Amino acid sequence: MHTEEKKEEKSLNFLEDIIDTDLRTGKYDQIVTRFPPEPNGYLHIGHASSICLNFGLTKKFPGYTNLRFDDTNPTTEDTEYVESIKNDIKWLGFEWKNELFASDYFDTLYGYAVELINKGLAYVDDSTSEEIALLKGTPTEPGKDSPYRNRSIEENLELFAQMKAGAFPDGAKTLRAKIDMKHTNMLMRDPILYRVKHAHHHRTGNAWCIYPMYDFAHGQSDSLEKVTHSLCTLEFMPHRELYDWLIKQLGIYPSHQYEFARRNLNYTVTSKRKLLQLVKEGHVSGWDDPRMPTISGLRRRGYTPHSIVDFCDRIGVGKRENMIDVGLLEFCIREDLNKIATRRMVVLDPLKLVITNFPEGKVEWLTSENNPEIENSGERNLPFTRELYIEKEDFMENPAKKYFRLAPGKMVRLKSAYIIQCDEVVKDGDGEIVQVNCSLIENSRSGADSSGINVKGTLHWVSTSESVPLEVRLYDRLFAVEDAAGQEGDFKEYLNPNSLQIVTAYGEPALKEATVGEGFQFLRKGYFSMDRDSTKDKLVFNRTVTLRDNWAKSGK
Ligand code: ATP
Ligand code: MG
């Protein structure tokens, strides 16, 4: 595979370096990584980066990757999300070894908590969350011990059992690790391990009314699965000390945590919580709205798995957070679609053109290549008639200098058809151009041109009578600013009001054979993909990306 080859040429990134050393020194025979999504939303492009990293490492080095759902927050999680996450990972082309759920470890985790209590390393606290916060201190001031900190082991065991049995309402009690309220790392100041929450869980139902906190679930799950390299984003760096402390006190398999920088894309938001708001409040049509930075949105928009993996590979992994230009993602999909997308002609903003020396009612069937980038990509038939549509922007009554498209007295070639000359402009009562009359140049048919005439411009076109009307959805950036999440106030105030424009376009009849998700290059207009809203009577296309390549031009 060519991405593999490319990787070989590149020097190792810092995580690959660590793993390479661990394997060479015999610390491990193989590595185990995991991708640990919380099933509280659909995966986005940032997750794709983490997926490519975790699965990519075990493609490169011996070992395997698990998929683990980090489902310890019953109120936000749902099986719909579990299914979409699995579907998206598979679509990207990755296979997990084991499908696991943190909720499967609830019994084991409960046992670990009891063990900590028995060792005098955890206690039940009756303080409210406000009281706990008050005693926590600040980064520069030490915290203070809770009045419940010195309960006996017996009392703690009894109270924790009662918590589990449902004796207390939400928030009435917590189980906390007994570490050090004066610790320089705030997360080590007696962190909460369990909270009371009477809520239905998408997998365990009503079996539990206490749930482990992230810090008490994540590291222990890693350890139970013998994960060697647990990769997470930078904000978890201060959690590593607690991760190691818990593993050490419990004497369980020593998984290790490593941090890498989150990947953010400009002109969008990459946070499931924020994306959920867009869906719930109807700013987009759903999680797979083609403007969304979700994997499902990108798929519906016409992105290929290869283009997304290529994008993640190009940005690589880093130790510092930065904003990635969406232009790079667009560059990757253009590169891929240029090679594979079938060419078709579609007029998005029609202007009627009449070939006055072509007989009325006649349909001449021409042919055109499906994809000049692929040998033997085949041809399709193109109907040529007296009345055609071209793009409005391809005609100028008073042409600017170096305008090589159609203008009075000028000649152009109609792609895969004839050279035509513009003879007359027809206007309505308001002076608007409604029609352009042209004549066809004899012996100028593409492939059989003996006219001896050279023209600079080639235009795409369709027959007015033989074409099919299409609904075409033109997308622009979802947000008007690069970093909506970093702005003052509500990020939704920065939505781009013009992110969707719907037009009726006219396409050549071969498009009737298109299938949902199939990608095309509409000549001179961009790459488009057939949307699932299409019916036999109404074909709908999404613009994946325009043809213009701003990213490459700006020199990266
Ligand atoms: P969100 O804020 O969107 O909910 P999250 O980090 O809470 O993201 P998780 O479901 O916990 O989402 O993420 C699963 C994995 O994906 C984690 O290891 C997380 O670090 C990683 N991840 C999430 N967002 C990004 C991102 N923008 N770039 C790189 N990795 C990410
Ligand atoms: Mg999360």
Side-chain angles (χ1 to χ4, degrees), residues 228-245:
T228 56
H229 299 78
S230 173
L231 313 178
C232 60
T233 41
L234 285 180
E235 70 272 22
F236 289 97
M237 196 178 281
H239 295 247
R240 196 199 313 146
E241 201 168 6
L242 179 54
Y243 182 105
D244 292 340
W245 186 89

Side-chain angles (χ1 to χ4, degrees), residues 145-207:
D145 288 358
S146 158
Y148 305 98
R149 197 172 197 262
N150 292 318
R151 278 179 160 150
S152 68
I153 290 174
E154 291 67 35
E155 192 184 359
N156 281 318
L157 287 172
E158 175 59 27
L159 286 171
F160 189 49
Q162 286 177 15
M163 275 170 70
K164 180 181 186 240
F168 309 113
D170 289 8
K173 285 188 168 41
T174 55
L175 181 76
R176 299 178 70 180
K178 194 169 179 176
I179 306 178
D180 179 3
M181 287 306 291
K182 298 181 179 60
H183 205 287
T184 48
N185 180 348
M186 297 271 293
L187 286 165
M188 297 293 278
R189 294 182 188 172
D190 291 9
I192 297 173
L193 305 180
Y194 267 91
R195 66 213 191 280
V196 177
K197 195 161 219 162
H198 293 265
H200 183 89
H201 186 279
H202 75 112
R203 293 186 84 240
T204 57
N206 296 323

Side-chain angles (χ1 to χ4, degrees), residues 35-38 44 46-47 50 231 233 260 262-264 271-272:
F35 174 64
E38 186 181 347
H44 53 63
H47 293 111
S50 174
L231 313 178
T233 41
F260 66 97
R262 198 170 262 276
R263 293 305 192 189
N264 301 314
S271 146
K272 279 179 281 177

Side-chain angles (χ1 to χ4, degrees), residues 268-390:
T268 192
V269 292
T270 42
S271 146
K272 279 179 281 177
R273 200 173 45 80
K274 292 197 171 69
L275 295 172
L276 178 65
Q277 279 182 54
L278 296 180
V279 172
K280 283 224 165 123
E281 296 171 20
H283 298 287
V284 292
S285 65
W287 283 101
D288 71 346
D289 184 302
R291 291 167 293 179
M292 292 279 271
T294 49
I295 311 272
S296 51
L298 291 167
R299 174 166 62 233
R300 188 167 170 197
R301 174 100 169 230
Y303 275 77
T304 58
H306 180 264
S307 66
I308 295 174
V309 173
D310 182 31
F311 168 74
C312 295
D313 203 36
R314 282 169 191 266
I315 60 179
V317 286
K319 282 187 186 171
R320 254 202 273 159
E321 249 183 58
N322 62 348
M323 187 73 97
I324 311 286
D325 189 348
V326 64
L328 177 57
L329 183 61
E330 294 175 345
F331 170 85
C332 293
I333 187 62
R334 273 191 203 102
E335 270 227 319
D336 198 22
L337 289 178
N338 180 45
K339 288 188 217 120
I340 60 175
T342 302
R343 272 53 169 174
R344 293 289 182 256
M345 291 202 278
V346 173
V347 172
L348 297 177
D349 186 14
L351 170 67
K352 193 156 116 186
L353 195 137
V354 177
I355 313 286
T356 51
N357 61 346
F358 194 87
E360 245 169 87
K362 177 177 170 182
V363 179
E364 182 181 345
W365 288 92
L366 305 168
T367 57
S368 188
E369 213 179 343
N370 281 328
N371 186 341
E373 300 283 320
I374 302 175
E375 232 180 286
N376 303 324
S377 65
E379 292 181 332
R380 81 282 191 188
N381 295 322
L382 271 176
F384 189 85
T385 54
R386 179 181 167 93
E387 295 198 353
L388 308 172
Y389 288 132
I390 62 166

Side-chain angles (χ1 to χ4, degrees), residues 27 45 66 79 114 119 121 133 139 156 218 270 312 350 359 373 470 482 488:
K27 185 170 175 189
I45 187 74
N66 288 333
T79 41
V114 170
K119 287 181 171 165
L121 295 171
N156 281 318
H218 201 91
T270 42
C312 295
E373 300 283 320
L470 312 173
E482 279 203 57
E488 260 181 47

